Amino acid sequence: MKPLQTSPNPWPPPKNRRRQTTSSSFYLYAPSSPDFTFHLLVGEKNCAAPLPFLNKTPKMATCTVYPAPSLRSSCSFPGPAKTCLGFQQGQVIFLTSGRRSGRRGGRSSSEISCSAEAKTVVIGLAADSGCGKSTFMRRLTSVFGGAAEPPKGGNPDSNTLISDTTTVICLDDYHSLDRTGRKEKGVTALDPQANDFDLMYEQVKALKEGVTVDKPIYNHVTGLLDPPELIDPPKILVIEGLHPMFDARVRDLLDFSIYLDISNEVKFAWKIQRDMAERGHSLESIKASIEARKPDFDAYIDPQKQYADAVIEVLPTRLIPDDNEGKVLRVRLIMKEGVKHFSPVYLFDDGSTISWIPCGRKLTCSYPGIQFSYCPDTYYSNEVSVLEMDGQFDRLDELIYVESHLSNLSTKFYGEVTQQMLKHADFPGSNNGTGLFQTIIGLKIRDLYEQIVAERAAAAVEAAKV
Amino acid sequence: RRAVLAASAPSTPPDISDKVSESIKKAEEACSGDAVSGECAAAWDEVEELSAAASHARDKLKANSDPLENYCKDNPESDECRTYDN
C-alpha cells in the first residue's frame, strides 16, 4: 500500500486543489466536528487495517478535518460528514438489478392488486445455536415496538414469539426427525435429512399469502415433536434457525436475509460463558461439542452466507495482540449492494475506503480503544459494502457521536440508534459492534418493510385506475 | 471461581440440568469408540441443544427475578403497585 501524501492543509485550501479528488490527496470537510482525525486507506481491499493504529506510527496519512465556518463552493455541507458526492442522509435509493429482478422483483402489479394489504414481508435469519439469534430477535422486535411474547395459552414450550407487527418462528419446528430419530440415523439437526423443507416451504408460502397455518412445535426440552399450533399471518414474519436459506424455494420467498457468522474462537468463548456454570460441562465437553458438529456446520449451514443480504461477522479483536478471551470483538457488517429496498450504511463517504478512530476529545475510550473501518469489497463474487467496528464503548450514551458520522441509517429521528441501544443496555453485546450492527439492521428492515408496503399501496392505486 | 458463577446467576431448572449432564456422559461414551461417527456427532448435537435450552430457561428465570414485579403481577391494586398514567 502506498502511503498518502500528507498535505500541509492550508486554510482556505488553494483554489486549484480544492476539487481535486485524485488518489494523491483530497479534502473532507466536516463542519460540526472540528477536531477529530481520520485515516484514509487507498488501494487496500480488506477494510481490516493493519493493527498498529494505536501505539505505532500509522502507515497511512492523517488528514485533519477542518471546521468550515463559511464554505462558498459548489458543494454545501448541511450536516456532519457529508462529502462532495451529493449523498443526502435518508436518501432512498431504488436499485433494480437484473440479477435480483428474477428472484425478488417478480411480483407484477396485477398480482398485487387484489390483496395489497394482506401480504406478509418475510425475513430470514440464519445462525448456529448459541450465536445470539434470540438477542438479535429481541432487538429487532423492539425496533417495531411492543414486546414479543410466546403465544398466549398454548404450549408452554412453544418457540414462537408474537408481537403486534412481528411473528418470529423457529425453524427447528420443521425437524422431520425428533431427537431419538436423529440418534438412530446418526445425523445431527444440522443435516438436511433431519428437516422437512417441503413443509417449511408450504407453510412460509401460505403465511406470505395471508393464510393461517398449523405449524408443528419442536420441544427443545423433551426433544419431541409436539402437537401443532395455529400461526396467523403477521405483517412481518421472521424465520430464524439453522436453514432459512438452504432450500432454494424458501430462499426465494425471503424479502431480506441475514446471516450471523461467528468465528470459531468467539463461538468457543461464548459457549464457555454460557455453559461453564452448567453441571457436567467442562472445557473438553464444550470443545468436543463444537468439533463434532463442525463437519455438518461447514457442509450445510456456512454456505448459506453467500445468499444473505447482510452478514454480521464476529471475529476476535485485532486491537489486543493474541487476545483469546472473546470479550473484545471485531464485528463486520457486510451489506450486499443492489438489493431492492436496501441501501447499505456508510461511514463519511459512500464507496471510499476509510479507517476511523473516534477516540479523542469527543469520545472517551479506555484500552484498547475503538476503531471503525468502511470499504467496498467483494464477498462470494457479490459487490458489498463492509462496515467494521473493533473494540468496545465505555459509555453507551457517547454512541451518539459515532451515530452522527454514519449515514443511511434509516432512522426516523436523530439519535434513534443510540436510543434503541440504551433501551436494551442489559442485552449481551450492547457495548460493542454486535449490538450496534444488529440495531442498524433492525432499522434497515423497518425501512424495507415500509418501502414494500408503500410500493404495494401505490400498485393497488394504479391497478384501481385501470 | 465456578461456585461464584453458579451462585450469582439464576440456576438452571434441575430437570434440564440433569438432562444436560446425562447427555454429556452419553456423548462421551458414544464417541469413545469412534470419534468421527454419525452417532458421536448426533450425541454432541443433543448436548448442544440441551445446553441452549438450559441457557434459555436461565434467561427466562432471570427475567422474572424481580420480587416486586412478580408481586405486582398478582396484586396490581396494592399500594406498592398502583401506577397512574396521569
Side-chain angles (χ1 to χ4, degrees):
Chain A
M1 186 181 63
K2 224 175 122 187
L4 267 180
Q5 202 102 61
T6 314
S7 62
N9 284 331
W11 187 266
K15 255 196 181 141
N16 60 335
R17 293 186 63 189
R18 189 188 292 173
R19 308 285 298 274
Q20 194 182 338
T21 52
T22 57
S23 63
S24 61
S25 74
F26 76 77
Y27 291 90
L28 191 99
Y29 308 111
S32 67
S33 4
D35 45 15
F36 66 88
T37 59
F38 69 97
H39 301 275
L40 289 172
L41 281 158
V42 173
E44 188 171 356
K45 261 298 176 200
N46 188 0
C47 267
L51 164 69
F53 255 108
L54 288 176
N55 30 25
K56 291 181 197 160
T57 329
K59 282 189 190 132
M60 42 293 304
T62 305
C63 310
T64 306
V65 175
Y66 281 88
S70 63
L71 204 67
R72 288 182 299 274
S73 81
S74 57
C75 304
S76 62
F77 302 89
K82 293 276 167 63
T83 62
C84 274
L85 290 190
F87 267 79
Q88 295 293 317
Q89 200 150 7
Q91 181 184 13
V92 177
I93 309 167
F94 287 88
L95 288 163
T96 35
S97 75
R99 178 161 43 89
R100 280 281 166 162
S101 59
R103 205 180 119 193
R104 289 185 194 170
R107 288 180 227 103
S108 68
S109 57
S110 59
E111 213 180 307
I112 304 161
S113 58
C114 45
S115 59
E117 298 297 317
K119 270 200 181 176
T120 298
V121 172
V122 188
I123 314 283
L125 171 69
D128 195 10
S129 140
C131 289
K133 280 196 298 271
S134 34
T135 308
F136 193 173
M137 285 300 94
R138 285 193 287 170
R139 283 190 202 281
L140 179 64
T141 43
S142 155
V143 169
F144 288 98
E149 276 167 3
K152 287 200 178 68
N155 188 330
D157 291 319
S158 163
N159 305 308
T160 310
L161 288 172
I162 297 175
S163 74
D164 295 345
T165 48
T166 324
T167 294
V168 182
I169 59 178
C170 174
L171 294 179
D172 289 352
D173 292 337
Y174 295 107
H175 282 338
S176 56
L177 300 169
D178 62 8
R179 198 177 283 158
T180 36
R182 292 198 299 272
K183 261 195 163 167
E184 277 162 16
K185 274 194 124 184
V187 293
T188 66
L190 310 171
D191 198 305
Q193 287 177 56
N195 294 281
D196 188 347
F197 289 106
D198 294 336
L199 184 67
M200 191 193 293
Y201 168 66
E202 270 165 38
Q203 297 207 333
V204 173
K205 186 164 179 276
L207 284 170
K208 188 163 183 165
E209 284 163 358
V211 180
T212 300
V213 299
D214 224 8
K215 180 187 65 58
I217 299 174
Y218 178 74
N219 188 319
H220 284 99
V221 180
T222 61
L224 297 170
L225 285 157
D226 285 355
E229 61 184 350
L230 276 178
I231 303 288
D232 288 323
K235 287 181 180 158
I236 299 165
L237 174 71
V238 184
I239 53 172
E240 56 107 351
L242 295 162
H243 305 94
M245 288 98 88
F246 185 85
D247 187 275
R249 295 166 299 168
V250 181
R251 199 158 68 218
D252 287 345
L253 291 173
L254 299 177
D255 291 291
F256 194 75
S257 51
I258 308 141
Y259 184 91
L260 290 183
D261 190 4
I262 316 297
S263 69
N264 290 329
E265 296 93 328
V266 177
K267 207 182 266 184
F268 186 50
W270 282 5
K271 290 204 171 158
I272 289 174
Q273 275 175 37
R274 186 190 73 180
D275 292 338
M276 258 324 234
E278 195 63 58
R279 196 154 44 87
H281 260 302
S282 61
L283 276 183
E284 287 74 42
S285 68
I286 295 168
K287 205 176 232 164
S289 172
I290 293 179
E291 287 297 318
R293 295 170 81 252
K294 200 168 183 310
D296 280 356
F297 179 82
D298 290 343
Y300 309 120
I301 311 301
D302 200 54
Q304 293 180 85
K305 63 189 182 193
Q306 60 189 296
Y307 306 115
D309 297 319
V311 177
I312 298 181
E313 260 180 25
V314 185
L315 304 152
T317 181
R318 288 198 190 170
L319 299 173
I320 307 169
D322 306 318
D323 174 74
N324 48 18
E325 274 188 84
K327 283 195 180 127
V328 182
L329 300 172
R330 180 162 69 99
V331 187
R332 289 158 63 86
L333 173 60
I334 302 167
M335 298 163 283
K336 220 181 234 180
E337 292 284 341
V339 178
K340 210 178 174 197
H341 308 302
F342 172 68
S343 55
V345 175
Y346 62 89
L347 183 65
F348 295 118
D349 178 32
D350 186 19
S352 295
T353 298
I354 290 163
S355 183
W356 177 48
I357 298 173
C359 304
R361 253 170 246 158
K362 294 247 187 98
L363 191 72
T364 325
C365 309
S366 59
Y367 181 79
I370 302 177
Q371 185 185 333
F372 275 88
S373 323
Y374 167 78
C375 71
D377 206 340
T378 319
Y379 188 79
Y380 287 96
S381 64
N382 285 309
E383 219 183 292
V384 294
S385 286
V386 183
L387 181 63
E388 176 182 311
M389 176 183 159
D390 197 348
Q392 57 193 30
F393 302 109
D394 289 334
R395 296 184 43 181
L396 202 52
D397 43 350
E398 288 175 335
L399 177 64
I400 188 73
Y401 178 64
V402 171
E403 182 184 347
S404 65
H405 292 91
L406 291 167
S407 305
N408 243 345
L409 287 169
S410 302
T411 46
K412 298 239 158 148
F413 53 87
Y414 176 68
E416 193 176 11
V417 173
T418 308
Q419 194 219 50
Q420 279 293 335
M421 293 276 286
L422 282 169
K423 214 163 144 187
H424 305 295
D426 54 330
F427 284 11
S430 287
N431 64 343
N432 62 38
T434 54
L436 175 65
F437 293 159
Q438 286 175 359
T439 305
I440 290 175
I441 288 296
L443 294 167
K444 280 282 158 199
I445 289 173
R446 183 182 65 186
D447 189 36
L448 171 122
Y449 167 73
E450 284 169 358
Q451 284 182 50
I452 291 177
V453 168
E455 205 171 72
R456 277 181 201 158
V461 169
E462 201 62 31
K465 272 184 201 161
V466 181
Chain B
R1 172 95 187 123
R2 277 177 72 177
V4 175
L5 267 177
S8 64
S11 56
T12 321
D15 53 323
I16 306 182
S17 187
D18 289 344
K19 275 188 175 162
V20 175
S21 46
E22 201 179 302
S23 70
I24 293 172
K25 261 185 223 135
K26 271 191 202 153
E28 278 163 353
E29 275 166 33
C31 294
S32 61
D34 185 1
V36 284
S37 67
E39 293 92 79
C40 172
W44 279 119
D45 190 40
E46 183 187 324
V47 174
E48 171 58 37
E49 200 172 276
L50 284 167
S51 307
S55 141
H56 285 144
R58 274 200 303 273
D59 285 347
K60 232 184 225 169
L61 285 180
K62 202 162 54 182
N64 302 329
S65 61
D66 188 328
L68 183 62
E69 291 278 323
N70 281 332
Y71 173 77
C72 287
K73 241 177 232 164
D74 301 331
N75 307 286
E77 290 303 313
S78 58
D79 280 349
E80 294 89 340
C81 303
R82 262 178 289 166
T83 48
Y84 299 97
D85 278 338
N86 53 17

